[in-house]
Amino acid sequence: MTIEPGPARYDAIVVGAGFSGLYALHHLRGLGLRVRVLERAHNVGGTWLFNRYPGARCDIESIEYSYSFSDEIQQEWVWTETMPTQPEIEAYLNFVADRLDLRRDIAFDTDVVAMTFDETACEWLVATAAGESYAAPFLIAATGILSVPLEPTIPGMDTFAGTSLFTSRWPEAGADLRGRRVGVVGTGSTGVQLIPVVAEEAGHLTVFQRSPAYTLPWTVRPFAPGELDELKAQYPQIRAAQREHPVGAARLSAFSVLLEMLAKPPLKSASREDRIRAVEERGIMGALDWGDLFFDIEANRMAAELYGEAVARIVTDPATARALTPSHPFACKRPIIDQGYYQTYNRDNVTLVDLRTDPIVSVLPTGIKTGSEIGSGVHELDVIVYATGFDAMTGALSRIDVRGRDAASLGEFWATEGPLSYLGLAVAGFPNLFTIQGPGSPSAAANFVAAMEQNVEWIGACVSYLRRHGYRTIEAQPDAQQNWMDQAAAIVESTVLVHPSCNSWYNGGNVPGKKRRYMGYTAGIPEYRRQCDEIAAQDYAGFTLA
Ligand code: NAP
């Protein structure tokens, strides 16, 4: 008789070693738990390891898009620019992993394929692609909100004879685009960052645009000598301000600009002269910086028109400028910052294809064929770059076979009932599974790092409470979960965020067949924290403890 070796046992298992997983490991370790992190990649970094496309950077200031829990780390680490590039964030996360000696508790190249709750033992069993198994009473999904790439299903994609690249898994060795004919599909945050950089390198760049983006022009700059040191000296105040700010970033960020717009006068009551003057004086910001765009779809349409006028002042070819004018409501998708995006379309080596009028038919071995192209109908390409987004918020856990009570599948539950969660932290039917920044959490419209730190600390306090009081399970109650999601929905009910013409990762509309529901919580991190703390203080109201 052979005895199968049992699973490796821990107090908690964390899946993912990005920003959240690293902090979860450090924090839970500090509470005395034996923790194992399982990470499919060969290194730490999560989304900042995979999305290494040219131009990748964060649109929140580096001194705020960073861990606040350790003064040593924030004093020691040196940011070089106001908004950090991908390589710098990746290096920062490696620094943190080494500084806190995290790697010894991380299993790299470990792809989790199944997570099953054993109701008798009150523990989670985690299986990996390599056949290993792990067990722990608590399971923390630090699997990221934008970690599952959404690849288009264009006929003939795999017949392309050139190089196909995906921004969300850019080769570590880089890609040589010099002098080559490059096509980019997708003009979301990623495409808008990538396109100006690729245009400088490529022989010719063809942008295939399905929905034109609204972008906020931005200046990123290196820190002046001594500037970072001055900021570091003010860290207590900076972190305190951040903590009180709805989006978890009190300084300039794509989100704070949107918030500031809310306080501006309404566009609808401005005269035609005022509107034109705003665009003349402030360009794109003049078109968008009005208070009623979030709530009044008519005002929003007027802003879109103004936006088109502002774009036409930058882009010299009128047809290209028209094609770059969005037809969906402003602010229903995540804000995008740009550095020289529209100017790129004035370059001789850049062509825009408006897929609204000239849709992609197929990918051929030699390039991309679109609907109304005259002549051969083919845009000849050496490289195709897909910047087509993510199956956000629920994507990562839906791809793992997660089984809770009665072997119910989390993926199936979300697919049929929609992306429900209590506080974004737990799902009814899945005891002892904590989801960092799941659906119904502030992460979608806030500084992820700030939102995530709050979640990790709340989970740590919760696990300590359970252990202290001898509880073996905690589980969200279906009613509390529904109430929470209804509360989150009510906040955005009267805004363009839920307008039917808006397909975005915020509402799942970007994923064919995904159940549509706005997945963010937009009352701000301080209010979210207050409610989470209140629930904890009421012995975890809305949860069943057993
Ligand atoms: P995204 O915003 O979802 O944009 C995807 C783009 O691909 C859209 O333009 C989409 O068009 C297009 N697309 C998708 N499928 C297509 C198809 N079959 N044919 C043609 N076009 C197609 O994704 P993302 O740009 O990767 O950004 C996702 C999120 O990641 C951002 O919202 C942000 O939260 C984060 N991010 C942040 C930064 C930053 O910090 N600055 C940078 C990059 C990403 P439609 O709009 O018509 O669907």
Side-chain angles (χ1 to χ4, degrees):
M1 193 177 84
T2 53
I3 298 169
E4 291 289 323
R9 288 208 140 70
Y10 295 90
D11 296 327
I13 291 169
V14 175
V15 183
F19 259 107
S20 315
L22 294 181
Y23 184 37
L25 167 57
H26 173 68
H27 188 69
L28 296 178
R29 230 192 220 175
L31 297 174
L33 273 72
R34 284 184 63 244
V35 184
R36 190 73 176 157
V37 178
L38 308 178
E39 166 57 57
R40 78 189 144 115
H42 63 283
N43 202 354
V44 300
T47 203
W48 291 108
L49 176 65
F50 288 103
N51 287 267
R52 46 201 318 126
Y53 58 87
R57 90 163 61 233
C58 182
D59 54 9
I60 296 170
E61 291 199 16
S62 42
I63 56 163
E64 293 192 314
Y65 191 80
S66 48
Y67 293 118
S68 72
F69 66 83
S70 159
D71 193 47
E72 288 82 19
I73 286 174
Q74 66 189 11
Q75 293 301 333
E76 285 171 29
W77 179 255
V78 179
W79 296 109
T80 64
E81 291 182 276
T82 51
M83 295 201 177
T85 59
Q86 176 274 329
E88 199 155 272
I89 300 174
E90 187 189 339
Y92 167 76
L93 290 171
N94 275 277
F95 164 79
V96 173
D98 292 333
R99 182 71 174 72
L100 300 175
D101 191 18
L102 298 178
R103 292 181 201 277
R104 68 182 154 90
D105 288 326
I106 305 174
F108 291 107
D109 299 309
T110 300
D111 197 3
V112 171
V113 292
M115 316 196 307
T116 310
F117 188 66
D118 177 338
E119 294 186 47
T120 313
C122 291
E123 68 178 7
W124 281 92
L125 292 170
V126 177
T128 73
E132 301 135 331
S133 60
Y134 296 83
F138 300 105
L139 182 56
I140 291 110
T143 38
I145 63 170
L146 291 158
S147 53
V148 173
L150 191 62
E151 289 181 12
T153 48
I154 303 170
M157 267 175 73
D158 54 358
T159 67
F160 184 54
T163 309
S164 298
L165 295 171
F166 295 84
T167 49
S168 47
R169 47 172 198 274
W170 199 261
E172 281 211 46
D176 187 2
L177 304 178
R178 278 173 304 177
R180 306 184 78 190
R181 296 167 302 171
V182 180
V184 171
V185 182
T187 51
S189 299
T190 301
V192 167
Q193 286 187 335
L194 172 90
I195 285 163
V197 183
V198 171
E200 297 207 349
E201 210 181 323
H204 193 90
L205 168 64
T206 308
V207 176
F208 296 87
Q209 168 200 265
R210 190 164 70 182
S211 302
Y214 289 97
T215 77
L216 309 171
W218 215 266
T219 311
V220 175
R221 57 176 181 79
F223 282 119
E227 185 182 356
L228 182 64
D229 290 336
E230 276 175 35
L231 289 167
K232 283 182 175 178
Q234 296 162 32
Y235 249 133
Q237 299 91 304
I238 290 171
R239 294 300 190 191
Q242 229 184 308
R243 207 178 147 80
E244 296 311 313
H245 199 280
V247 299
R251 301 166 66 85
L252 200 59
S253 74
F255 299 113
S256 59
V257 169
L258 281 197
L259 270 191
E260 283 163 21
M261 285 176 183
L262 288 172
K264 299 292 163 59
L267 177 57
K268 263 184 154 171
S269 19
S271 66
R272 174 75 190 154
E273 292 71 35
D274 287 344
R275 293 172 206 163
I276 295 297
R277 194 175 328 111
V279 170
E280 275 169 3
E281 288 172 3
R282 303 182 57 213
I284 278 171
M285 283 310 288
L288 300 178
D289 206 4
W290 303 92
D292 49 354
L293 310 191
F294 296 87
F295 307 100
D296 186 334
I297 193 69
E298 195 42 46
N300 203 302
R301 287 204 183 99
M302 288 161 64
E305 222 179 288
L306 274 185
Y307 190 88
E309 292 178 30
V311 170
R313 286 166 188 270
I314 309 171
V315 176
T316 47
D317 173 48
T320 306
R322 269 197 305 281
L324 284 165
T325 304
S327 38
H328 63 273
F330 167 64
C332 83
K333 300 190 184 196
R334 187 191 180 281
I336 299 179
I337 62 164
D338 93 69
Q339 295 172 81
Y341 179 64
Y342 291 114
Q343 288 79 355
T344 302
Y345 291 95
N346 291 336
R347 296 175 65 106
D348 292 338
N349 70 334
V350 176
T351 308
L352 177 70
V353 179
D354 185 354
L355 302 180
R356 291 175 298 182
T357 53
D358 190 13
I360 293 179
V361 175
S362 61
V363 177
L364 304 176
T366 53
I368 292 182
K369 182 175 167 58
T370 56
S372 67
E373 183 74 2
I374 298 160
S376 75
V378 178
H379 302 269
E380 304 269 347
L381 301 167
D382 304 311
V383 180
I384 302 177
V385 179
Y386 296 96
T388 42
F390 300 87
D391 182 355
M393 308 295 286
T394 55
L397 283 177
S398 297
R399 273 159 188 75
I400 297 173
D401 187 17
V402 183
R403 301 276 165 175
R405 272 197 204 286
D406 303 324
S409 151
L410 181 58
E412 281 168 26
F413 172 70
W414 276 340
T416 50
E417 303 300 320
L420 305 182
S421 162
Y422 186 31
L423 302 171
L425 278 161
V427 183
F430 298 85
N432 294 11
L433 169 64
F434 295 99
T435 55
I436 296 181
Q437 294 296 306
S441 71
S443 58
N447 177 355
F448 180 84
V449 180
M452 169 284 292
E453 281 189 333
Q454 181 275 344
N455 266 195
V456 168
E457 287 157 19
W458 190 92
I459 293 167
C462 177
V463 168
S464 298
Y465 178 95
L466 298 173
R467 286 160 60 102
R468 214 168 43 244
H469 291 85
Y471 291 117
R472 298 187 72 193
T473 58
I474 181 167
E475 184 178 351
Q477 294 164 3
D479 287 357
Q481 174 169 280
Q482 192 60 52
N483 288 343
W484 178 256
M485 295 310 294
D486 291 346
Q487 192 193 132
I491 303 166
V492 291
E493 202 172 42
S494 60
T495 72
V496 295
L497 283 162
V498 290
H499 195 268
S501 67
C502 184
N503 290 321
S504 99
W505 68 260
Y506 278 178
N507 59 28
N510 67 327
V511 182
K514 188 163 175 172
K515 194 112 179 168
R516 209 181 155 99
R517 180 178 195 117
Y518 182 75
M519 290 186 275
Y521 174 82
T522 48
I525 300 176
E527 171 58 16
Y528 173 80
R529 183 188 299 114
R530 189 193 67 72
Q531 295 211 43
C532 287
D533 289 349
E534 199 172 285
I535 286 164
Q538 292 164 2
D539 296 324
Y540 295 90
F543 288 95
T544 301
L545 277 53

